[in-house]
Amino acid sequence: MEPLQILVIVLVVAGIWLVAELAITARRARRTMAEVDKTVAELNETLAETRPVVAKLDGAVDELQPAIAKVEPLLSSANVAVDALSANLVEIEGVVRDVSAVTGAAASAGNVVSGMADSASEAARKLLGKFKSSPDAGERTLEAAPSEEAAEDAPTPSEVSQDAAAPSGSYYTYGGSMADDTAVTTYEAPTKEETAHE
């Protein structure tokens, strides 16, 4: 065989192979084009379905525009209300501070009045204590300190019971002026029957 015949055979085989490859590529391209057409058709359907939704959204946005326009004045009104509330809270705080000061002053005045009443009652008690003449009227005086001989005969404090030292149902108030340090006033304690009637 001549080299020219071999070259022609190789060229014919290459041509056949080229035609086969072109046919396969054309078939694949047709399939791809069919799929693209199908996808485009689906996209067109989807767009056709979304157009009413978009139209409704446009209508909703158009309806919201007046409401949005009203929100801004509402926000400014809310800011004004918050500012007014803050001012009111500051005033309330001042009032509470004033009430606290007045309460403190009233408590101090109450303490002063109570002190004055205590002083007046103490002065009246001392004055009445000086005018009482007899120890039998409920006022007893302590005796002077016993002499040494009497002190030896006297029982020790542990020997004297609490009941013997003071009559039952009474208590003593020690007081008086500086000159009358030994004055003792006895008051009768209320009995159980008296406290039950109250």
Side-chain angles (χ1 to χ4, degrees):
M1 262 194 165
E2 292 183 19
L4 191 59
Q5 287 177 346
I6 294 173
L7 183 62
V8 169
I9 293 173
V10 169
L11 284 175
V12 169
V13 170
I16 293 172
W17 178 76
L18 181 65
V19 170
E21 285 295 322
L22 284 174
I24 292 171
T25 305
R27 183 180 284 169
R28 285 182 185 163
R30 255 187 268 141
R31 237 185 262 151
T32 304
M33 288 303 289
E35 289 176 3
V36 167
D37 285 342
K38 192 177 188 182
T39 305
V40 168
E42 289 175 359
L43 281 174
N44 284 336
E45 288 175 12
T46 305
L47 287 175
E49 290 173 1
T50 57
R51 280 187 185 134
V53 175
V54 170
K56 287 180 182 178
L57 285 175
D58 284 342
V61 168
D62 290 341
E63 290 174 3
L64 284 177
Q65 289 299 331
I68 290 171
K70 291 178 183 177
V71 166
E72 190 172 331
L74 286 176
L75 289 176
S76 359
S77 299
N79 285 337
V80 169
V82 167
D83 291 342
L85 182 62
S86 298
N88 287 342
L89 288 177
V90 168
E91 290 176 9
I92 288 172
E93 183 180 352
V95 168
V96 168
R97 211 176 282 133
D98 290 345
V99 166
S100 174
V102 168
T103 304
S108 297
N111 290 339
V112 168
V113 168
S114 175
M116 288 173 47
D118 289 344
S119 297
S121 66
E122 182 68 24
R125 188 185 60 77
K126 285 181 181 179
L127 186 64
L128 289 175
K130 287 182 182 178
F131 286 122
K132 286 189 179 181
S133 59
S134 68
D136 295 334
E139 190 176 302
R140 298 181 189 165
T141 58
L142 295 176
E143 297 176 4
S147 63
E148 292 179 12
E149 295 172 1
E152 291 175 2
D153 295 337
T156 62
S158 61
E159 295 173 353
V160 178
S161 69
Q162 194 77 9
D163 294 335
S168 64
S170 65
Y171 59 95
Y172 295 104
T173 302
Y174 296 94
S177 64
M178 294 296 285
D180 190 18
D181 286 338
T182 60
V184 177
T185 305
T186 304
Y187 296 101
E188 292 296 324
T191 63
K192 290 182 182 178
E193 292 83 22
E194 291 174 331
T195 55
H197 290 298
E198 293 176 1

